[in-house]
Amino acid sequence: MPRGRTWVFGCGAGIGDGALAMWRVATAEGYRAVWLTRDAGEQADAAELGIRTVPRDSIRGWWATARAGVVVVTHGLGDVNRYGSSDAFVVQLWHGIPLKRIGLDSPATTQVPAVPGASVLRRLVALAYREAAHRIRVLPAASHRSRGRLESAFGLGDDRVVVTGEPRVDVLSAGQEGERRIAATSLLTRTGPLLRRQRAILYAPTWRDGAEDPAVPDAAEWVRIVALLERHDAILFIRSHPLGEGAYAPPWSSGRVRMLGSGLLPDVTPALPRVDVLVTDYSSLAYDVGLLAMPVLFLAPDAEEYARVRGFYGRYDDVAPDAAREWDDLLADLDRTLGDPAEYRRRSVRSATLSAEMHAYRDGGNARRVYQAIRARGIPAPKGTR
């Protein structure tokens, strides 16, 4: 089936992430662009931004994908209509610098039930994953260090994985700092008022492939968490993984603890400029917030088990040398970070240093460089232009 010049977009996290940054560049260049949506909520979010949409799983979604000149995704081919993507020019933006192993590097990717012939099934799953990944024509990397991880995870050569920076973090560098902070504040206030003097803490635990999260606080720990928040006049925003939402909530209503799920805010990155401290375990946000020199505290009670089941790129201790194993230790670290300016600065410098090792660019131009890489691979200009 002949393909045209329309660009089709999809994103597993909703209307946002790197796909939105690329949509803005493509449409500014004059391309016709269509976003494939999964539900009415995504359609409404897209309408607010003036984005033309088509239901992903409809005949029109299949036709749009099958006729697209460029297909842009952030998670996988399921972001668009996968049945129309077989010979597409696929741009896989991905959705974070890998800290935990992903794709072909992770045992979780080829996990199958313990049945007779499981080893054969695992090989077939790996083969299918590699075949799907081979459709990718451009995969942007944040740096040469990140590039090696992506090449290994997707089984791609260096002709397809290009160091351009990640479009999804352009929002942390583009424009003026004050403007970014105002925009971020407006996003966080979807959960309720956030005063200028109040500290904002983001807790972002990652997905454990369906296993129970051992870091969910018990009732006594919630009491100590809220007491610390009151002492420092802080708000704790909890950003659970979209597949694990609902586990984190205090046993009573507290304005100091607010859920910031993907239903309320599909893309958390634009909200980061108003956050003062990040707490996580294995999230790639640990690399991103260093662009803002934001302190990062780690809570990882299952680091050894996670390393065995999922695996890390490099040593986890090199990224999180003082990771807490339980909430009491984490709260002690957080108390010092919020209460001691010298400790806050020390952690800020460490965060910025880690980020500098993983982000080659911080000029807000990553999406533009990805666009140039796409054009350099033979994608024609929009109709009516040379």
Side-chain angles (χ1 to χ4, degrees):
M1 183 176 295
R3 290 185 174 271
R5 302 193 185 195
T6 299
W7 289 35
V8 164
F9 292 80
C11 175
I15 311 300
D17 213 283
L20 182 57
M22 285 306 305
W23 178 86
R24 287 171 172 149
V25 171
T27 54
E29 289 293 325
Y31 286 95
R32 183 176 182 270
V34 176
W35 199 294
L36 300 194
T37 55
R38 295 171 294 177
D39 52 42
E42 287 189 5
Q43 292 174 18
D45 291 341
E48 288 186 11
L49 297 172
I51 297 176
R52 181 173 177 267
T53 63
V54 170
R56 181 192 64 180
D57 298 327
S58 65
I59 292 296
R60 292 173 59 208
W62 171 80
W63 179 253
T65 307
R67 292 280 290 122
V70 175
V71 171
V72 180
V73 299
T74 61
H75 289 64
L77 294 175
D79 293 351
V80 292
N81 190 296
R82 66 173 66 251
Y83 302 107
S85 65
S86 59
D87 63 341
F89 186 105
V90 176
V91 179
Q92 166 60 278
L93 301 177
W94 201 235
H95 48 279
I97 297 173
L99 168 57
K100 58 188 179 184
R101 289 185 174 271
I102 61 171
L104 296 170
D105 294 335
S106 172
T109 300
T110 56
Q111 185 176 1
V112 298
V115 297
S119 61
V120 175
L121 286 176
R122 280 193 294 271
R123 287 196 292 271
L124 290 174
V125 171
L127 181 63
Y129 189 96
R130 191 181 295 274
E131 182 180 350
H134 191 68
R135 301 179 192 176
I136 298 170
R137 300 290 298 279
V138 174
L139 199 167
S143 62
H144 285 285
R145 189 172 177 181
S146 177
R147 178 184 196 171
R149 299 177 181 183
L150 293 171
E151 288 175 352
S152 176
F154 287 91
L156 297 174
D158 59 8
D159 59 323
R160 303 196 184 192
V161 184
V162 292
V163 180
T164 58
E166 296 181 319
R168 65 188 186 83
V169 298
D170 278 348
V171 70
L172 300 181
S173 303
Q176 299 298 315
E177 180 180 355
E179 296 172 348
R180 294 195 295 268
R181 187 174 177 86
I182 291 172
T185 301
S186 69
L187 294 175
L188 292 179
T189 51
R190 293 180 181 181
T191 66
L194 178 61
L195 303 181
R196 186 171 184 176
R197 69 174 185 275
Q198 289 180 315
R199 313 294 286 274
I201 303 163
L202 177 64
Y203 177 46
T206 194
W207 172 239
R208 284 171 166 76
D209 302 302
E212 183 179 350
D213 188 346
V216 175
D218 60 27
E221 287 169 332
W222 275 120
V223 170
R224 294 192 287 275
I225 291 170
V226 173
L228 181 141
L229 297 173
E230 291 176 346
R231 186 160 62 250
H232 291 282
D233 193 12
I235 305 295
L236 176 63
F237 295 92
I238 297 180
R239 176 72 173 191
S240 296
H241 190 280
L243 296 177
E245 288 184 8
Y248 286 90
W252 73 95
S253 178
S254 171
R256 295 285 180 182
V257 181
R258 303 177 187 176
M259 300 299 113
L260 195 66
S262 58
L264 184 65
L265 187 63
D267 184 3
V268 73
T269 309
L272 295 179
R274 179 57 181 86
V275 175
D276 296 289
V277 178
L278 171 69
V279 178
T280 188
D281 42 23
Y282 319 118
S283 172
S284 61
L285 284 174
Y287 293 128
D288 299 337
V289 299
L291 293 169
L292 305 170
M294 182 192 302
V296 182
L297 278 63
F298 293 89
L299 175 62
D302 60 341
E304 291 82 4
E305 176 67 9
Y306 200 84
R308 184 186 66 81
V309 175
R310 162 70 79 159
F312 297 105
Y313 291 102
R315 291 175 0 108
Y316 181 64
D317 288 347
D318 292 338
V319 176
D322 56 355
R325 296 304 180 93
E326 55 187 34
W327 273 100
D328 284 348
D329 293 336
L330 185 280
L331 292 177
D333 290 342
L334 186 56
D335 193 27
R336 286 191 296 272
T337 302
L338 294 177
D340 182 354
E343 177 67 7
Y344 190 92
R345 286 193 297 271
R346 184 185 74 82
R347 290 187 177 272
S348 296
V349 170
R350 190 171 76 180
S351 175
T353 301
L354 176 64
S355 177
E357 296 173 354
M358 301 304 298
H359 288 279
Y361 300 99
R362 55 192 65 223
D363 58 2
N366 298 340
R368 173 61 55 179
R369 280 184 286 272
V370 175
Y371 170 76
Q372 292 167 348
I374 294 169
R375 288 295 313 279
R377 283 155 177 77
I379 293 300
K383 285 186 178 181
T385 62
R386 294 185 178 181

